[in-house]
């Protein structure tokens, strides 16, 4: 486990909180926390002396270890736990040679590394939950503020129908809330202690293995699984899938904001600030920097998750290779997911909305965006197919003659025979044609309360 991102680029693609969680020192401390808890658990069961356990725990401080030296030694041993246990044993021996005999008693390298991974995941999930709550609250507030703000709904990047902007925002909040539920489920059900000894049987501890495991589980506050899971990586894969979903949701929101910030659209904007979104050569630019960060992270996340999925295919009770692939990949996935979410928090808490421009864009097609509304009103009089053909012909005429659709319809005797000019005028009010949008907004916002 490591930050796996360049210190130069990490701030653009990850949150400060997640960088702290995935820092090499934090990872090392997680491994040492396992060793300290193991010694205390074994002392509690009577396998090693209590004084020896405390002597071991006293030396389990990551700041006393040389990370570079451990990393170099790991290239020869095949994993970081082996040189760390040797170094810890040496540190303990300096003050208590008898206690040094009991370092890492009955455990194996994978116990140390996998349990440290679980501790990292727990801290990472907690960091994501803080930000996802902020993003949900931000979009929920905006949804209420703009539930009666009309905006163009776009399909295939073309004007389709009018919709309340609040519905779009409520959908953002609800999609993030669903992932909040996934994170909570992960924290409760996917995290688990890994403690199995050399081959998952805890043979070195005789008939005391489960007692030690139970006490170790309590000390680390990690659930005790039915059996060691070292050769089955579904827990890690499930976490990766959730992180990739969150990154994808953030990417979708970022893409919408990026498109709304286009000069030709200009409906909504990221928060502005000194030096934010500028260009190295064009003084007038206001680039979507938060959206770009979220999209960059969302682009990376699926491939990182795919590596975790591939790493499930291991051999027998200890896999050489696939397990190693998890070490840099999982923290990288945590980091980019945090970066995507942090960018979306920034947007959710500071989105600037131009309702006037939204209205201007609704009128940009000369009323064509209301064609469906007219067609269905007319269908009640002449049938759906005939109404569709009438409005389609009127739409083409409006484009060809550069007139508004309303003007063409008001001068079409076939149409006015069934719809008065007053009725036609009503049909061209965008917020009069929103279906059950307001009820949908209420339903989406209500779903956020299910915590």
């Amino acid at each position: 486990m490591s930050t796996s991102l360049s210190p130069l680029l990490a701030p653009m693609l990850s949150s400060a909180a997640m960088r702290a969680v995935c820092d090499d020192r934090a990872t090392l401390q997680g491994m040492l926390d396992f060793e300290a808890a193991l010694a205390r658990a074994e002392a509690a069961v009577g396998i090693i002396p209590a004084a020896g356990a405390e002597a071991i725990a006293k030396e389990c401080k990551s700041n006393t270890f040389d990370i570079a030296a451990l990393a170099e030694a790991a290239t020869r041993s095949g994993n970081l736990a082996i040189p760390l246990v040797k170094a810890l044993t040496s540190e303990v021996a300096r003050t208590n040679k008898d206690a040094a005999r009991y370092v890492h008693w009955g455990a194996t390298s994978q116990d140390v590394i996998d349990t440290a991974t679980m501790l990292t995941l727990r801290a990472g999930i907690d960091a994501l939950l803080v930000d996802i709550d902020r993003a949900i609250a931000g979009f929920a507030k905006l949804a209420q503020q703009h539930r009666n703000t009309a905006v163009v709904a776009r399909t295939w990047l073309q004007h389709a129908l009018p919709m309340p902007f609040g519905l779009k925002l409520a959908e953002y909040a609800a999609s993030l809330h669903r992932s909040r539920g996934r994170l909570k489920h992960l924290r409760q059900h996917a995290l688990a202690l890994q403690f199995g000894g050399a081959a998952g049987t805890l043979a070195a501890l005789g008939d005391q293995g489960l007692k030690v495991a139970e006490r170790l589980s309590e000390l680390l506050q990690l659930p005790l699984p039915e059996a060691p899971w070292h050769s089955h990586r579904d827990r890690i894969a499930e976490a990766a899938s959730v992180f990739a979903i969150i990154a994808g949701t953030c990417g979708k929101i970022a893409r919408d904001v990026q498109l709304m910030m286009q000069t030709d659209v200009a409906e909504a904007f990221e928060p502005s600030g000194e030096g934010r979104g500028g260009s190295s050569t064009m003084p007038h630019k206001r680039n979507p920097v938060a959206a770009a960060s979220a999209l960059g992270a969302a682009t990376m996340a699926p491939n990182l998750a795919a590596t975790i999925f591939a790493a499930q295919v291991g051999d027998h009770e200890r896999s050489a290779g696939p397990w190693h692939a998890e070490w840099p990949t999982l923290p990288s996935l945590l980091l980019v997911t945090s970066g995507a979410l942090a960018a979306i928090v920034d947007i959710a808490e500071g989105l600037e909305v131009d309702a006037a421009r939204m209205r201007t864009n609704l009128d940009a097609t000369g009323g064509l965006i209301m064609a469906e509304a007219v067609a269905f009103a007319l269908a009640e009089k002449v049938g759906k197919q005939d109404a569709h053909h009438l409005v389609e012909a009127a739409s083409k005429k409006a484009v060809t003659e550069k007139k508004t659709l309303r003007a063409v319809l008001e001068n079409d005797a076939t149409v006015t025979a069934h719809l008065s000019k007053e009725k036609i005028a009503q049909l061209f009010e965008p917020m009069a044609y929103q279906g059950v949008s307001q009820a949908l907004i209420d339903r989406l916002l209500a779903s956020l309360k299910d915590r």
Side-chain angles (χ1 to χ4, degrees):
M1 300 279 284
S2 71
T3 57
S4 304
L5 293 176
S6 159
L8 194 63
L9 300 176
M12 288 191 292
L13 294 167
S14 60
S15 70
M18 194 63 76
R19 291 195 296 278
V21 168
C22 295
D23 181 74
D24 285 339
R25 284 284 172 201
T27 298
L28 192 61
Q29 188 59 56
M31 296 170 71
L32 291 166
D33 287 345
F34 171 86
E35 294 293 349
L38 174 65
R40 285 172 170 151
E42 290 174 336
V45 174
I47 293 176
I48 71 172
E54 289 312 306
I56 293 169
K58 183 180 178 182
E59 301 302 330
C60 290
K61 299 174 182 176
S62 64
N63 60 353
T64 63
F65 293 84
D66 186 336
I67 285 181
L70 291 172
E72 182 60 32
T75 65
R76 296 185 294 275
S77 62
N79 69 63
L80 186 60
I82 293 173
L84 177 62
V85 169
K86 288 181 179 179
L88 176 59
T89 302
S90 296
E91 286 297 311
V92 175
R94 286 172 52 206
T95 57
N96 191 325
K97 289 185 178 181
D98 185 62
R101 297 165 48 206
Y102 300 109
V103 171
H104 196 64
W105 189 271
T108 195
S109 300
Q110 191 153 1
D111 295 333
V112 185
I113 292 173
D114 281 354
T115 297
T117 296
M118 290 287 119
L119 296 175
T120 297
L121 281 175
R122 183 171 66 193
I125 290 169
D126 287 345
L128 291 175
L129 283 168
V130 170
D131 275 353
I132 210 165
D133 279 345
R134 289 176 60 188
I136 292 167
F139 283 127
K141 181 179 179 181
L142 286 169
Q144 286 285 23
Q145 291 174 354
H146 293 284
R147 64 185 304 149
N148 292 308
T149 301
V151 70
V152 173
R154 295 173 172 90
T155 60
W156 293 39
L157 290 177
Q158 306 295 306
H159 286 209
L161 294 173
M163 68 179 289
F165 190 47
L167 178 57
K168 197 178 190 78
L169 296 162
E171 288 169 348
Y172 294 162
S175 64
L176 289 167
H177 184 261
R178 291 192 293 275
S179 278
R180 183 187 188 278
R182 295 183 184 105
L183 286 173
K184 298 289 282 188
H185 179 85
L186 266 185
R187 201 184 191 289
Q188 185 174 356
H189 299 289
L191 302 185
L193 174 72
Q194 165 50 37
F195 183 52
T201 64
L202 290 171
L205 298 176
D207 61 359
Q208 300 284 75
L210 280 177
K211 290 182 180 178
V212 173
E214 289 168 357
R215 184 62 180 148
L216 184 56
S217 169
E218 293 171 3
L219 290 170
L220 293 174
Q221 296 183 320
L222 282 173
L224 178 65
E226 294 81 2
W229 52 268
H230 53 293
S231 61
H232 294 276
R233 315 305 289 177
D234 51 291
R235 288 180 169 87
I236 304 289
E238 183 181 2
S241 70
V242 171
F243 301 149
I245 289 170
I246 292 171
T249 296
C250 292
K252 185 275 183 290
I253 296 169
R255 179 73 76 197
D256 283 359
V257 172
Q258 189 180 65
L259 292 171
M260 287 187 287
M261 281 186 68
Q262 289 182 109
T263 306
D264 311 277
V265 179
E267 293 176 343
F269 302 87
E270 292 180 6
S272 58
E274 182 65 30
R276 175 170 177 155
S279 164
S280 61
T281 183
M282 294 172 284
H284 69 284
K285 291 295 291 296
R286 183 177 178 180
N287 292 320
V289 292
S293 293
L295 285 163
T299 301
M300 296 170 68
N303 290 314
L304 293 167
T307 298
I308 298 296
F309 297 155
Q312 292 180 93
V313 185
D315 42 282
H316 296 302
E317 279 62 57
R318 186 69 54 77
S319 182
W323 182 44
H324 297 61
E326 291 177 356
W327 302 342
T329 305
L330 190 61
S332 292
L333 180 54
L334 271 169
L335 286 162
V336 298
T337 302
S338 76
L341 189 53
I344 294 306
V345 169
D346 183 49
I347 291 170
E349 294 182 341
L351 189 70
E352 299 174 13
V353 179
D354 189 337
R357 180 57 181 252
M358 288 178 174
R359 180 61 200 227
T360 297
N361 288 343
L362 280 162
D363 296 334
T365 58
L368 292 180
I369 198 168
M370 304 307 299
E372 184 188 85
V374 176
F376 273 87
L378 195 57
E380 295 178 4
K381 309 293 183 180
V382 300
K384 185 176 184 299
Q385 188 171 7
D386 287 346
H388 184 90
H389 289 322
L390 280 170
V391 178
E392 183 180 32
S395 298
K396 290 178 179 178
K397 183 175 182 179
V399 172
T400 301
E401 298 182 3
K402 300 188 183 307
K403 295 180 179 178
T404 65
L405 178 59
R406 177 178 169 182
V408 171
L409 292 170
E410 287 178 343
N411 286 286
D412 187 327
T414 307
V415 174
T416 55
H418 302 286
L419 299 175
S420 67
K421 289 187 177 182
E422 291 76 16
K423 177 61 176 178
I424 292 172
Q426 292 173 9
L427 292 171
F428 280 87
E429 174 48 52
M431 288 301 283
Y433 192 71
Q434 58 174 310
V436 295
S437 292
Q438 295 301 319
L440 295 177
I441 292 171
D442 288 337
R443 287 167 62 88
L444 289 166
L445 294 180
S447 75
L448 307 182
K449 299 173 183 177
D450 180 20
R451 299 196 172 191

